[in-house]
Amino acid sequence: MADYDYDLFTIGAGSGGVRASRIAASHGARVAVAEEYRVGGTCVIRGCVPKKMLVYGSMFAEELEHASSYGWTIEGKSFDWPSLRDFVNNDVDRLEGLYGKTLEGHEVEVFRERATITGPHSVKLANGREVTAKVILVATGARPAMPDFPGVEHCITSNEMFHLEEQPNCLMVVGGGYIAMEFAGIFQALGSEVTVVNRTDRILRGYDEQIVERMLHIASGRGINFRMHSLIQRIDKDEDGCLVVDFGETNPVKVDQVLIAVGRAPNTEGLGLESAGVDLGKHGEIKVDEYNKTSCDSIYAVGDVTDRVQLTPVAIREGHAFADTVFGGKPRTVDYRAIPSAVFSQPPLAGVGMTEGEARSTYGNIKVYSSDFRPMKNIFSSHPERGLYKMIVDDTSEKILGIHMVGPESAEILQAAAVAVKAGLTKQAFDDTVAIHPSMAEELVLLK
C-alpha cells in the first residue's frame, strides 16, 4: 500500500465515516477523512441529536401544564425560543469537537473541505490537491429532498429548523415521515399552531397501522391539524413576510413558515463517481454488496448514501463492519433483520420486527397480544391519553415476530424488548418474567 498516499480515504465525516475511519486506523491503516461541512454528520449536527434535545425542551411544556396537579405553583412562566435554540446549538458545537478529537486521537488526518473522486484510487480536494488511496469510502449521507412547485424557495427544511430566528406562530409541516411528525410535535408543544400536510392518508409508513392511528388520535387531540390528500400548488410571500399556501382550493392558507419534510436524497451529485464506474440506483443511491463494496473494487460506501436502512446506528454498524473486513482481516456483514426504530413524536412510538399486517401476509396464522392502558403518569394530565402495546406472535412456534408500542418513553422501553425479538424468544419467556410494578414496561410481561 506504500504506492498510495493513504490506505483509506473517507469522504464524509458523519457517524458511519467516523466509525469506519477510526476502526480502520486502529487496525493500522493510514487514514484521511474529508468533510466539507462539519465533523459529526447529519445526526450530530442537524439531525437526531439536536432534534431529541428540542423534544426534551418541548416535553417540559407538558410537565408545566401538570405542575399544579403535582402540587407546584409556578408564576410568570414563559418560553424563550432563542434560549433553547442556542443551548442546543452550543451542545452541537461541543459534540463536533469530541468527534474531531476522536479522529485526532486515532491519527486520522482530517481535511475540512470538499473532496471528489477522480478515479478508482484518486481523490481531488477543493484546494486542488489530488491524493491517492488504496481504498476509498463514500459516507456522504443524505440531504432533505425538495418537491417542485412555484414558491418552494420560500420553504425551509429540517436543516434550517435548528437556526430559526423566531419561533413561528403558525407552522405548516409537509410530509408524513418521522421528521415531519417529530417537528410537528415539538413546535405544537412549544405553543405554535401546527398543520401537517400529506399527499396520502398514510402517516409513518412501515410502522404498525394500529399504533400509528393511536398516535394520530392523540396528536389531533393535542391540537395538531392534519390535512390528508393535499398537495401544494404554489406558495407566495406576502408583504408582511407571511407565506400564502395555495392548495388549488378556494381559500389559501396563511402561515409563518413551511417546513418541507418529504424524505431524503443521497448525496452523490458531483462526487465524480462516474469516473470510477460506480453504479447508482434510480434515486441516485450507491449500490453496494453485503460487504459495502460498490461496482468498483476499490470503492466502498456506507450509511444513507446507499440503498439500505437510513438510520444512524445502522451506518455505524456498516462502517465498523467495513473496516474490520477490509483492514482487520475479519469479514463481517450487517444483519438488517429486526432493527428497532422509534419516532420521537408526542407521544413517541417505537417498533421492532414485523407489523401485524406484515406478519399476517408472511405467516398467515398469528396471535396478537395487546395492552390498551392509561399510563400512571397521564393521570396528572387533563388529556385522557392511553398507551397501546402490541406483541405479534407466530401461532405455531409462539416465537415473537414483532413488538410495537405508543406511549411515554416507548423508545426507552423498546430497546430492551428488541433484544428478545432479535434473539428469537417466545411469548412464554415474557410470561415467565416477573413484572416491575408499577411501571409502563410491565405491560410487556402481562400481555393478554
Side-chain angles (χ1 to χ4, degrees):
M1 292 188 181
D3 294 336
Y4 300 96
D5 296 320
Y6 300 98
D7 301 327
L8 170 64
F9 195 101
T10 302
I11 304 177
S15 298
V18 168
R19 174 61 66 90
S21 300
R22 178 173 68 82
I23 299 301
S26 71
H27 289 312
R30 297 168 300 147
V31 183
V33 176
E35 172 54 59
E36 65 177 307
Y37 183 53
R38 298 178 69 181
V39 173
T42 295
C43 180
V44 173
I45 304 301
R46 51 192 180 191
C48 41
V49 171
K51 186 169 46 164
K52 185 65 179 291
M53 295 180 73
L54 292 183
V55 169
Y56 283 134
S58 64
M59 288 172 60
F60 189 71
E62 182 181 357
E63 296 293 328
L64 281 175
E65 289 184 7
H66 307 161
S68 59
S69 298
Y70 293 142
W72 292 89
T73 299
I74 301 176
E75 298 178 355
K77 61 182 180 180
S78 63
F79 173 69
D80 181 59
W81 161 252
S83 296
L84 175 60
R85 177 201 64 204
D86 293 348
F87 181 89
V88 170
N89 286 323
N90 286 338
D91 201 62
V92 166
D93 292 341
R94 179 185 67 84
L95 291 172
E96 181 185 15
L98 292 176
Y99 269 67
K101 288 180 180 178
T102 295
L103 292 173
E104 291 173 7
H106 286 81
E107 299 183 346
V108 175
E109 188 171 359
V110 179
F111 296 98
R112 294 181 179 268
E113 56 188 300
R114 182 174 176 82
T116 54
I117 295 172
T118 55
H121 297 284
S122 57
V123 172
K124 187 175 184 179
L125 299 170
N127 65 12
R129 176 185 173 187
E130 189 158 344
V131 298
T132 60
K134 176 69 174 178
V135 175
I136 298 171
L137 175 67
V138 181
T140 49
R143 66 187 185 280
M146 293 294 284
D148 184 18
F149 57 77
V152 71
E153 67 274 10
H154 300 308
C155 303
I156 60 176
T157 70
S158 56
N159 292 347
E160 293 77 48
M161 291 298 289
F162 302 103
H163 305 283
L164 292 176
E165 289 295 324
E166 299 178 351
Q167 177 186 349
N169 291 320
C170 188
L171 172 68
M172 178 173 289
V173 181
V174 182
Y178 72 96
I179 295 175
M181 294 310 304
E182 288 174 346
F183 275 115
I186 289 168
F187 281 90
Q188 188 279 325
L190 293 178
S192 299
E193 180 182 336
V194 177
T195 299
V196 175
V197 176
N198 196 41
R199 62 185 178 86
T200 69
D201 62 352
R202 289 287 306 278
I203 296 286
L204 298 175
R205 292 179 181 274
Y207 286 91
D208 188 89
E209 290 188 33
Q210 188 179 6
I211 296 295
V212 174
E213 287 176 5
R214 175 63 58 86
M215 187 277 292
L216 286 175
H217 176 75
I218 296 174
S220 296
R222 292 191 178 196
I224 296 178
N225 178 43
F226 290 90
R227 290 185 62 133
M228 304 298 191
H229 296 292
S230 293
L231 280 174
I232 295 177
Q233 300 301 312
R234 67 176 296 115
I235 293 180
D236 295 297
K237 195 166 189 175
D238 256 2
E239 294 180 357
D240 60 2
C242 290
L243 303 180
V244 180
V245 185
D246 184 2
F247 292 97
E249 302 169 353
T250 306
N251 298 316
V253 179
K254 197 171 185 178
V255 298
D256 297 318
Q257 290 279 5
V258 176
L259 165 63
I260 302 294
V262 294
R264 297 179 65 79
N267 284 320
T268 53
E269 293 182 4
L271 273 182
L273 294 166
E274 66 283 352
S275 66
V278 175
D279 291 339
L280 302 180
K282 62 179 181 179
H283 300 296
E285 72 278 10
I286 298 177
K287 294 182 178 181
V288 293
D289 65 12
E290 60 181 333
Y291 291 102
N292 303 293
K293 183 189 291 186
T294 71
S295 54
C296 176
D297 286 343
S298 59
I299 298 179
Y300 293 72
V302 298
D304 292 1
V305 76
T306 68
D307 56 356
R308 297 169 295 185
V309 181
Q310 292 190 336
L311 290 173
T312 296
V314 173
I316 292 173
R317 291 274 179 118
E318 290 171 352
H320 201 134
F322 154 78
D324 282 348
T325 299
V326 178
F327 297 101
K330 298 178 291 185
R332 290 203 303 118
T333 60
V334 175
D335 184 357
Y336 295 94
R337 296 171 298 173
I339 295 175
S341 63
V343 180
F344 295 101
S345 50
Q346 302 194 23
L349 60 86
V352 61
M354 291 185 173
T355 64
E356 180 178 346
E358 290 169 342
R360 290 193 186 282
S361 297
T362 304
Y363 285 82
N365 295 325
I366 63 170
K367 295 178 182 177
V368 179
Y369 299 90
S370 64
S371 177
D372 190 330
F373 64 101
R374 189 178 186 186
M376 181 181 292
K377 184 179 181 181
N378 287 358
I379 300 298
F380 290 93
S381 171
S382 59
H383 303 293
E385 297 177 357
R386 300 181 66 83
L388 176 62
Y389 292 0
K390 291 178 64 175
M391 181 181 287
I392 318 299
V393 177
D394 176 27
D395 187 40
T396 304
S397 66
E398 288 289 314
K399 177 182 176 181
I400 301 171
L401 304 176
I403 297 177
H404 309 276
M405 57 180 64
V406 59
E409 308 297 343
S410 289
E412 304 292 342
I413 295 169
L414 184 81
Q415 180 66 83
V419 176
V421 179
K422 188 70 173 178
L425 298 186
T426 65
K427 171 70 162 56
Q428 190 62 48
F430 277 72
D431 294 341
D432 292 341
T433 302
V434 176
I436 298 176
H437 181 76
S439 71
M440 292 178 288
E442 71 177 310
E443 297 298 327
L444 285 173
V445 299
L446 301 173
L447 292 170
K448 303 295 183 183

